[in-house]
């Protein structure tokens, strides 16, 4: 009964979101206020209906209702509760419903908030949101109904793919979707702007928190996915340039470009058409990501639920969602064109360089991901594009980006020169040189790549440090805390996020330079030497888990002096319900580096295959990502505080310029 | 102004081209003319991965309970991944029986239980010199096996010469495997 109720709620939500996508657009065109007010009312109702629908599905999983096809196929009564719940989105139908849920929650949040926004703009944005939700609800209802019942009820479920039974993966998809779907807000803003052909600075000001929020979630989602691959797949790597990873990286790169270009629109009213295009591109790329993962067009370690027939539906959504806005862009875009009123060596110039590099990087990833597919269709040849291509193309672009990242923030708008520029540059050069010298002192024979990477770490961290010092150093007129209080929050957010890049780079460089690996076949009693530790393999134990059986190797880690500092127990698990084996790497993460052990095949006679790694600094990779996300959050909440103080009347009907001046006055010339 | 207009049209055109490609790729995947899983084996021309497996207990039993690929060095070898649970493997059994007169075949039972494998061999014939049990499929991963049945031809030094995904048929033996085997002989 509850499942039918959930199904009914989803159908209701679908019909409501059709109303949400049509009526407000008419209302906005005819300046009919009641019709425009349908938008927030419908958006909130849709949100409630989808929450009910999703809860009904979660309830089915919690209570192990095997009369539901989805539950029977993807859950099992012996599964721990957390994986029963996460099983809801561990499959195509459920994850689609989660996608819809997040989509409508974003819409609902905009409907509840955004009081300062002109009512027509808000109505249009919500209408576009409604269209996106309606298409995905149609996708769910017509091709992948999560509430399908079975005529014969099985005694127990088939279980969740064991590789997905993992805490990291329980929160990875929701995070990633929060990011992907968050970009739909940027998309709705862009399309709404294209309908009227008007983009102003307030538009960018309202847009930016959504972009930053989506970007934070995407950063966390990608980092969680990479962390999961690192400890679950047991290869010791953290990024594989796999099509599905690339699919999440592309929207991230585009969103990064977008959140920077939106700054230029907000502060200077320039780059309008470009920003609109970026917003469309960012969301399109996240739809492309969905398309790849769901259609099974490209083979990947991550595609668990692929079916070409679903690909058709996503492709149709993609055609409409990208084709129509781009057609609008071709029509309205020239109206948004502004002539540049700044020199190249200015803040705008640096941000444009940032955008260019990020777009080139996106194109590189796009090409590397789809080139094999295109080539195959043209010539029939099958190739795979791997890390060598990306190392040779993506990394240099990112290196250039890091160069600019150090200088851009200390440049002034329009003309470029600030008093901070020279000292920050000097610090950056000195920092880079010290880092390079430090590397050279380690050992000769490191290539140019690590030298550049470390130089950039020094360059960027020194410049951030210098900038912080110059802006916050106590002077006669103001002490540290007074200066900190006066500083816009987004500047602090930027420092934190940029510093996150430094931390991330340290992790990546540390791992690639000083990583040590040992693959051995060992019998109990063997001692394996790795890095500066001696590892004793003391034996194998049987382990009984809640829904699996496992053998676990006992590995005693001793330092050079012979002191035992850790016991690692990598496991091989056999999940009885699913008839699958997984390897559970044992990891001892520390700030200095991770000890990583994987148990392979073997038996008592021939010995067990063991793979041991020591990975210096690798956890800094995810630490860096966390810093970036925190930086983003600081920027959002710093901005919210300012926006809340603006009580701009709802006057957006007449002209967008009237409220813009009011708002920018109350903004008090910030920036 | 017209030049400006044109530049705003570019994203749409680029997208149209990309979407066309996507549609064609999807169409050919759906119509079955393209199978994303069928990649050429990267192993061709390279030594076969080291493979040591638990031996399936059989009639000509010796006491050694593991079997290594290197045991078969010095002669061309066919390595066949199969499983009792796979229907095409039953279909290819007669063809394997036929070719077993010309070449040694090493069978690898992929993700299978020994009892089931033994029963399968009893029922459909045993063309294999030896059968190794790849119970968890780890060796299959090392070989890049996409699904059973899959067959690899190795030369006398253990280098992979040929890979065939899907069941072996008389036609494949005559047109693909035998010619490759003759090339190895000369």
């Amino acid at each position: 009964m509850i499942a039918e109720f959930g199904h009914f709620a989803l159908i209701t939500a679908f019909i409501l979101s059709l109303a949400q996508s049509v009526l407000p657009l008419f209302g906005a065109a005819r300046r009919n206020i009641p019709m425009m007010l349908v938008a927030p009312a419908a958006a909130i109702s849709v949100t409630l209906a989808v929450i009910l629908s999703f809860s009904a599905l979660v309830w089915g999983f919690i209570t192990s209702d095997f009369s539901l096809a989805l539950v029977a196929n993807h859950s099992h009564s012996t599964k721990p509760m957390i994986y029963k719940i996460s099983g809801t989105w561990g499959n195509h139908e459920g994850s689609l419903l989660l996608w819809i849920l997040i989509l409508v929650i974003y819409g609902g949040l905009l409907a509840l908030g955004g009081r300062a926004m002109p009512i027509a703009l808000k109505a249009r944005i919500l209408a576009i949101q409604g269209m996106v939700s309606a298409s995905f609800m149609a996708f769910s209802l017509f091709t992948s109904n999560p509430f399908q019942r079975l005529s014969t009820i099985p005694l127990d479920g088939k279980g969740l793919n064991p590789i997905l039974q993992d805490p990291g993966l329980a929160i990875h998809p929701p995070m990633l979707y929060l990011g992907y779907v968050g970009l739909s807000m940027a998309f709705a803003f862009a399309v709404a702007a294209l309908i009227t052909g008007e983009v102003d600075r307030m538009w960018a000001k309202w847009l930016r928190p959504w972009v930053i929020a989506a970007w934070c979630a995407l950063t966390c989602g990608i980092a969680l996915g990479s962390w999961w691959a690192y400890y679950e797949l047991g290869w010791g790597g953290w990024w594989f340039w796999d099509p599905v990873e690339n699919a999440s990286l592309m929207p991230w790169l585009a969103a990064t470009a977008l959140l920077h270009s939106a700054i230029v629109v907000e502060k200077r009213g320039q780059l309008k058409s470009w920003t609109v295009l970026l917003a469309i591109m960012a969301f399109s790329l996240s739809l492309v990501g969905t398309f790849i993962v769901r259609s099974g067009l490209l083979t990947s370690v991550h595609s668990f639920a692929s079916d070409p027939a679903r690909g058709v539906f996503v492709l149709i959504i993609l055609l409409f969602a990208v084709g129509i806005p781009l057609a609008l862009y071709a029509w309205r875009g020239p109206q948004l064109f502004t002539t540049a009123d700044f020199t190249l060596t200015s803040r705008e110039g640096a941000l444009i360089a940032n955008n260019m590099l990020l777009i080139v990087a996106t194109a590189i990833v796009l090409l590397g991901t789809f080139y094999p597919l295109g080539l195959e269709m043209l010539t029939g040849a099958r190739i795979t594009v791997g890390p060598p291509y990306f190392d040779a193309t993506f990394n240099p672009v990112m290196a250039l980006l890091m160069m600019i990242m150090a200088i851009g923030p200390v440049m002034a708008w329009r003309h470029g020169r600030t008093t901070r520029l020279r000292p920050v540059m000097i610090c950056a050069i000195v920092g880079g040189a010290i880092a390079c010298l430090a590397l050279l002192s380690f050992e000769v024979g490191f290539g140019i790549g690590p030298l550049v990477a470390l130089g950039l770490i020094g360059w960027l961290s020194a410049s951030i440090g210098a900038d912080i010092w110059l802006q916050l150093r106590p002077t006669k007129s103001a002490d540290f805390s007074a200066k900190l209080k006066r500083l816009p929050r987004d500047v602090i957010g930027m420092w934190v996020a940029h510093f996150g890049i430094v931390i991330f780079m340290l992790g990546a460089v540390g791992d690639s330079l000083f990583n040590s690996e040992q693959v051995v076949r060992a019998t109990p009693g063997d001692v394996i030497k790795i890095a500066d530790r001696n590892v004793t393999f003391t034996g194998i134990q049987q382990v009984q888990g809640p829904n699996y059986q496992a053998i676990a190797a006992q590995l005693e880690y001793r330092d050079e002096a012979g002191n035992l500092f850790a016991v690692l127990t990598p496991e091989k698990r056999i999940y009885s319900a699913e008839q699958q084996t997984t390897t559970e790497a044992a990891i001892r993460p520390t700030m200095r580096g991770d000890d990583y052990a994987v148990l392979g095949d073997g038996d008592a006679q021939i010995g067990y295959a063991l793979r041991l790694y020591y990975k210096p600094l690798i956890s800094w990779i995810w630490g860096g990502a966390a810093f970036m996300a925190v930086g983003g959050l600081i920027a959002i909440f710093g901005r919210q505080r300012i926006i809340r103080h603006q009580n701009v009347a709802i006057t957006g009907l007449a002209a967008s310029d009237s409220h813009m001046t009011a708002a920018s006055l109350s903004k008090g010339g910030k920036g | 102004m017209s030049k400006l207009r044109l530049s705003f049209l570019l994203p749409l055109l680029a997208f149209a081209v990309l979407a066309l490609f996507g549609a064609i790729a999807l169409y050919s995947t759906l119509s079955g003319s393209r199978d994303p899983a069928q990649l050429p084996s990267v192993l061709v021309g390279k030594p076969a991965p080291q493979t040591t497996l638990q031996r399936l207990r059989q009639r000509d039993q010796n006491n050694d309970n593991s079997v290594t690929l290197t045991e078969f060095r010095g002669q061309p070898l066919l390595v066949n991944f199969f499983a009792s649970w796979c229907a095409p493997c039953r279909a290819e059994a007669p063809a394997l029986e036929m070719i077993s007169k010309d070449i040694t075949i090493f069978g690898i039972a992929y993700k299978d239980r020994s009892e089931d494998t033994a029963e399968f061999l009893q029922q459909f014939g045993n063309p294999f010199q030896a059968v190794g049990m790849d119970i968890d499929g780890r060796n299959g991963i090392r070989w890049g096996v996409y699904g059973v049945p899959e067959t690899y031809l190795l030369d006398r030094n253990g280098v992979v010469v040929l890979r065939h995904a899907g069941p072996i048929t008389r036609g494949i033996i005559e047109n693909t495997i035998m010619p490759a085997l003759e090339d190895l002989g000369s």
Side-chain angles (χ1 to χ4, degrees), chain A residues 520-524 526 537 539-540 542 551 572 599-610, chain B residues 52-55 57 63-67 133 135-136:
Chain A
V520 292
R521 188 165 281 282
T523 45
D526 285 1
F537 175 41
I540 289 281
Q542 298 285 333
I551 53 166
K572 256 172 92 79
L599 173 62
D601 303 296
D603 58 42
Q605 266 95 44
I606 58 166
Y608 291 88
L610 286 173
Chain B
T52 304
L53 293 164
Q54 193 190 334
R55 186 192 289 268
R57 304 215 165 260
N63 284 331
D64 181 16
N65 81 342
S66 72
V67 54
M133 300 302 299
I135 292 168
D136 56 6

Side-chain angles (χ1 to χ4, degrees), chain A residues 280-304:
Chain A
I280 296 171
M281 263 171 35
F283 183 58
S284 312
L285 286 169
S286 55
L287 284 182
V288 168
T290 318
F291 177 59
I292 295 179
V293 180
R294 313 253 167 186
S295 65
L297 266 191
L298 299 167
T299 44
S300 150
V301 292
H302 295 275
S303 43
F304 299 104

